[in-house]
Amino acid sequence: MLPVVVVHGGAGQIPKEWSEKSTSGVCSAARAGYRILQGGGSSMDAVVEAATQLENNPSFNAGCGSVLNVKGEVEMDAIVMDGKTLATGAVSAVRNIANPIQLARLVMDKTSHACLTAEGASQFARSMGVPEVPQESLITEYSRMRWKKNLAPDANPVECQIGKMG
Amino acid sequence: TVGAVAVDSEGNIACATSSGGILNKMEGRVGDTPCIGSGGYADNRMGAVSTTGHGEAIMKVTLARLILFHMEQGQSVEAASDLGLAYMKSRVSGLGGVVTVDPQGHWATCFTSQQMAWAAAQKDTLHYGLYTGEHFTQSI
């Protein structure tokens, strides 16, 4: 049964015209993770590679393609956890980096902390030589369109994630 | 949100979750993703989970660790994932999805939202789906 990798591209309402891109994106991420496992790589290498592929795919809400905050900016969160040692690394509200998942892994490997946030995470990224990217490179036309659409006072951006009782 | 769980040939387990958060969130809002036990959890003795969905609801029930508690009590990956998601829906009206794996390599993808794009690779076979009940396979 081993090795195995399972990936997801997010739960919610996926527009019909995005079905194909979503499915092909998760399939190629799973293949990438599996290739690493078959090559003797660790489960941590596999999950970081799979998540990196999905962050780089503008069809998904992570990395490039992230949704925008109310000010039209990108703030991202990420976590990794190692089942052997229970070590973990996370970043929150981090800006201007392409792959938050790789920064989360650096937090796990290079610091004694579990999570770095905002400007602290950015300073750590700089100290680790993680390149800063312009925010524009993380914003897609689609994410900007959805941001504008949900600025309306009566908008409910998380409607598809709130369970209707009954 | 995107995420992954994996078990390598040595039986070591890991999880990864990454997200842009929720649409039009307040500046500085942090969701479940970076919170250990909510956005993800991994332990070689139980398994690993990566979650997605309404972050504030996931944090209230610490969804990833909750599912692994059910597995510790003997539930299968599928039953534990369904129990965790059902509790989140009934207790705090939150919808979401998870990918879960156990140390033997059993895996499950469950969601209470309308869709979740998922894929799994095991024994040279690629499994994938998007809508409830879909499970397609092809050779890797």
Side-chain angles (χ1 to χ4, degrees), chain B residues 29-83:
Chain B
R29 178 266 185 186
V30 174
D32 64 293
T33 296
C35 301
I36 187 169
S38 292
Y41 199 86
D43 186 337
N44 278 11
R45 298 179 187 177
M46 291 166 246
V49 181
S50 173
T51 68
T52 171
H54 189 230
E56 278 68 11
I58 291 171
M59 285 188 274
K60 287 176 182 174
V61 302
T62 59
L63 182 60
R65 190 66 182 86
L66 172 62
I67 288 169
L68 292 175
F69 275 126
H70 283 303
M71 287 162 65
E72 273 186 291
Q73 312 304 319
Q75 297 287 350
S76 68
V77 281
E78 185 101 32
S81 302
D82 283 334
L83 283 167

Side-chain angles (χ1 to χ4, degrees), chain A residues 5-76:
Chain A
V5 59
V6 193
V7 311
H8 68 78
Q13 243 165 349
I14 299 170
K16 207 131 188 75
E17 63 274 16
W18 281 61
S19 306
E20 176 57 35
K21 279 188 274 194
S22 297
T23 302
S24 61
V26 290
C27 286
S28 90
R31 281 197 184 92
Y34 192 65
R35 246 190 321 271
I36 287 181
L37 293 171
Q38 282 190 306
S42 70
S43 51
M44 181 55 70
D45 293 340
V47 294
V48 169
E49 175 60 24
T52 297
Q53 291 235 346
L54 294 168
E55 287 175 334
N56 294 338
N57 186 326
S59 307
F60 296 98
N61 171 20
C64 173
S66 289
V67 296
L68 308 186
N69 69 14
V70 69
K71 291 174 68 177
E73 298 162 344
V74 171
E75 292 176 298
M76 301 167 283

